[in-house]
Amino acid sequence: MQQDMFGKKPTGSRLEKIKQSPNYQDGKFQNLNHTPVLAEGHNYYDVIYENYIKNKPNHYPKEKIPSIKTDLSNLSIDENVLVWFGHSSYFIQINQKRILVDPVFSGSASPIPNTIKSFEGTDIYSAKDLPEIDYLFISHDHYDHLDHKTLVALKGKINNVICGLGVGSHFEHWGYDPKKIIEKDWYQKIELDKDFIVFIEPARHFSGRGLSRNNTLWASYVLQTSLFKIYLGGDSGYDTHYKEIGEKHGPLDLVILDNGQYDKAWRYIHNLPKDVLKAAVDLKAKRIFPVHSSKFALAAHPWNEPLSEITALNKGGNIPLITPKIGELVYLDMSDQKFENWWETIE
């Protein structure tokens, strides 16, 4: 637990600031509504058996995941695009700003060696492939979103880190300049430029590395520019916050929501596919980008179920889905861009 990968708990003035948050009670950050880790009718023994012991057909792809290697460093700065790296990692370029969200390029979503490895074909990008990043957004400090190896490798390319209260403690421990770290509470905002505002909003999840839990804040974000409003959902279960965010900031041009590594037992902390569509309606979304899939097996469902399920549920729906291959350019200006059902072509 003393290894660098585990980060560092908030202490000193950072901890004192956390204690002033209305979202911090009884020594921990709290969700807006009661949020058990396991839903009613489920227990840890069954969850462990289903997810980590029982044989699960189609749990991993038998073939290489298809991908496209886009040269991110030579993109025109005037292009408004998004590139997905699998799971919940992606690059956005809008209003001549380069943004990176929850990057994980180490090939693993676990601190334990040789566990939770990435699927073959999903690791075509590394820190060296990224240009200088204006803003790095971190949704929370779980290993599949806050990756020590990746963030150490990226350190010289990151101009600013935006995260929830307490998460900056990890970054400082890993050698980041404190002046570059912006930590905020829910319902606060940051004016990054004259036409670029970030609103920090709730999510329904939890946090923790090592043996500690909920001593740093998980969050979602609304990026508001002169051209777009984009919602970065992070990890979350369905709750009232989606409707509140939609009422406050909607309509939203694009909502990015977790849709994968779910289980009915975890429905309070991870969206099921049907929840993603409900959340998109609440958020007044014009387009949905479902993430948190196709790179790591963290739940018992088949590897391709998240995209298959949400596509089937959304058939005939009024909100288009964005379902790119890893590395494929998504043109944010092109509202009618079409995507292949690429997951149907491989086992």
Side-chain angles (χ1 to χ4, degrees):
M1 292 301 174
Q2 300 304 311
Q3 295 181 62
D4 276 354
M5 73 176 75
F6 292 104
K8 188 176 182 182
K9 294 192 295 185
T11 57
S13 60
R14 178 176 274 113
L15 180 57
E16 290 308 308
K17 184 177 179 181
I18 284 171
K19 289 178 179 179
Q20 303 307 309
S21 169
N23 305 303
Y24 189 83
Q25 299 170 23
D26 301 322
K28 295 180 181 292
F29 282 106
Q30 309 287 338
N31 283 291
L32 295 177
N33 294 305
H34 176 60
T35 302
V37 173
L38 294 183
E40 298 81 2
H42 298 272
N43 62 67
Y44 282 103
Y45 300 107
D46 290 342
V47 169
I48 290 170
Y49 174 73
E50 290 291 328
N51 286 276
Y52 305 111
I53 299 174
K54 182 181 177 181
N55 182 46
K56 299 174 282 295
N58 205 28
H59 197 217
Y60 298 91
K62 297 182 180 69
E63 302 172 65
K64 191 175 180 179
I65 297 289
S67 59
I68 298 168
K69 190 68 177 282
T70 296
D71 186 351
L72 301 174
S73 295
N74 287 312
L75 286 174
S76 168
I77 194 64
D78 295 315
E79 285 193 277
N80 298 305
V81 294
L82 181 151
V83 174
W84 179 51
F85 304 120
H87 200 62
S88 290
S89 304
Y90 47 94
F91 169 88
I92 303 175
Q93 188 172 273
I94 49 171
N95 284 55
Q96 300 187 329
K97 299 288 190 295
R98 293 187 175 105
I99 294 163
L100 184 61
V101 181
D102 289 359
V104 178
F105 299 140
S106 68
S108 174
S110 167
I112 303 171
N114 300 313
T115 62
I116 316 183
K117 293 194 211 175
S118 54
F119 301 155
E120 185 183 2
T122 62
D123 279 323
I124 65 167
Y125 287 91
S126 67
K128 71 178 189 304
D129 297 312
L130 269 70
E132 184 176 341
I133 299 298
D134 296 298
Y135 302 107
L136 168 66
F137 284 84
I138 296 296
S139 63
H140 62 296
D141 70 1
H142 285 156
Y143 299 102
D144 58 323
H145 295 259
L146 188 76
D147 183 55
H148 168 252
K149 286 184 179 178
T150 300
L151 294 171
V152 169
L154 282 170
K155 188 163 46 178
K157 293 186 174 184
I158 305 298
N159 290 334
N160 296 279
V161 177
I162 298 174
C163 56
L165 291 176
V167 178
S169 182
H170 302 307
F171 282 92
E172 281 195 45
H173 185 61
W174 296 334
Y176 275 70
D177 183 348
K179 296 186 182 71
K180 293 184 176 182
I181 303 169
I182 305 170
E183 293 176 72
K184 292 291 181 181
D185 203 350
W186 294 343
Y187 307 119
Q188 293 184 324
K189 71 176 182 178
I190 315 164
E191 295 188 17
L192 297 175
D193 209 335
K194 62 180 180 180
D195 58 356
F196 192 174
I197 302 172
V198 173
F199 297 90
I200 295 81
E201 298 291 348
R204 190 183 200 187
H205 200 53
F206 66 108
S207 67
R209 298 171 79 86
L211 300 176
S212 58
R213 178 173 284 188
N214 295 356
N215 59 11
T216 64
L217 185 63
W218 50 101
S220 64
Y221 304 94
V222 174
L223 311 187
Q224 180 178 306
T225 77
S226 58
L227 299 173
F228 304 101
K229 284 185 183 179
I230 300 176
Y231 179 64
L232 316 181
D235 278 3
S236 182
Y238 183 81
D239 204 1
T240 56
H241 65 288
Y242 288 127
K243 192 165 186 63
E244 292 168 1
I245 293 167
E247 292 294 333
K248 184 162 49 168
H249 299 291
L252 292 158
D253 297 291
L254 172 63
V255 300
I256 305 173
L257 296 166
D258 69 302
N259 173 66
Q261 318 326 306
Y262 51 72
D263 189 298
K264 289 180 180 178
W266 304 332
R267 65 184 178 85
Y268 288 115
I269 54 174
H270 279 295
N271 291 319
L272 300 171
K274 64 180 181 179
D275 298 327
V276 173
L277 298 180
K278 283 167 56 181
V281 171
D282 289 351
L283 290 163
K284 302 180 182 179
K286 295 180 183 178
R287 286 195 288 176
I288 309 167
F289 178 21
V291 297
H292 213 243
S293 73
S294 309
K295 188 166 185 172
F296 301 112
L298 295 163
H301 59 65
W303 79 268
N304 54 0
E305 182 186 283
L307 290 175
S308 296
E309 184 72 8
I310 197 167
T311 301
L313 289 171
N314 195 51
K315 194 171 183 178
N318 296 321
I319 309 178
L321 293 177
I322 291 176
T323 54
K325 295 175 185 173
I326 289 174
E328 181 177 358
L329 277 172
V330 176
Y331 296 97
L332 298 175
D333 300 305
M334 192 184 299
S335 60
D336 58 351
Q337 184 178 357
K338 304 298 182 188
F339 301 92
E340 300 173 30
N341 288 2
W342 58 266
W343 58 92
E344 295 177 353
T345 65
I346 53 177
E347 291 188 30

